[in-house]
Amino acid sequence: MQTMGINLIKRKLGANDNLKITILQEGNKFTITESSNFRNIEISFTLGVNFDYSLADGTELHGNWELKDNKLVGTFTRKDNGKELVALREIVGDELVQTYTYEGVSAKRIFKKA
Ligand SMILES: CCCCCCCCCCCCCC(=O)O
């Protein structure tokens, strides 16, 4: 989050956001329900088709998800500075592991099944 330019207060809030996501797949179409201390939103996208998404701090992204080797690979560009953010979603055991890479720095977020 620091590399993303997110300030200390927002980083502390973000680390305790109580984020829960639900992923519904219907063929190539995905619907994500995102629920956190900050917001409750629903996002729909089709694999390989660009869409807009705003992070909870307002940072706007544009990009898409693709399915590669049974993993979702997201390639997004920040609208404010044109830099790339790559996201990976994979099921490992009983967990959903999300890995984000930005400016050579990677972070992992692990979600447990409800
Ligand atoms: C270090 C904090 C970085 C957070 C990066 C979040 C990246 C989100 C990728 C785009 C998500 C699109 C909507 C979704 O599929 O849930």
Side-chain angles (χ1 to χ4, degrees):
M1 283 194 268
Q2 196 165 359
T3 307
M4 293 276 293
I6 298 170
N7 71 36
L8 179 65
I9 294 172
K10 287 183 180 171
R11 291 205 301 275
K12 292 226 180 264
L13 289 170
N16 295 289
D17 63 359
N18 197 28
L19 175 63
K20 294 181 176 61
I21 57 173
T22 304
I23 301 177
L24 174 70
Q25 179 180 8
E26 295 165 291
N28 277 349
K29 191 184 166 199
F30 284 71
T31 303
I32 313 291
T33 306
E34 181 185 314
S35 151
S36 73
N37 293 340
F38 303 118
R39 61 187 184 173
N40 295 302
I41 57 169
E42 191 176 278
I43 309 118
S44 291
F45 60 85
T46 301
L47 292 177
V49 178
N50 284 351
F51 63 99
D52 292 322
Y53 174 75
S54 295
L55 299 178
D57 74 339
T59 302
E60 294 184 350
L61 306 177
H62 184 73
N64 67 71
W65 288 104
E66 289 178 302
L67 199 53
K68 292 181 185 163
D69 297 329
N70 234 14
K71 295 173 191 169
L72 281 170
V73 180
T75 308
F76 296 90
T77 302
R78 277 180 69 148
K79 288 190 183 177
D80 58 347
N81 64 11
K83 291 185 177 173
E84 188 179 76
L85 187 151
V86 175
L88 188 70
R89 280 186 173 139
E90 57 187 322
I91 302 293
V92 180
D94 215 18
E95 297 174 334
L96 169 69
V97 178
Q98 290 197 173
T99 308
Y100 312 111
T101 304
Y102 179 77
E103 293 279 276
V105 178
S106 293
K108 257 188 211 312
R109 184 154 198 177
I110 296 170
F111 294 85
K112 295 197 182 299
K113 215 173 181 178

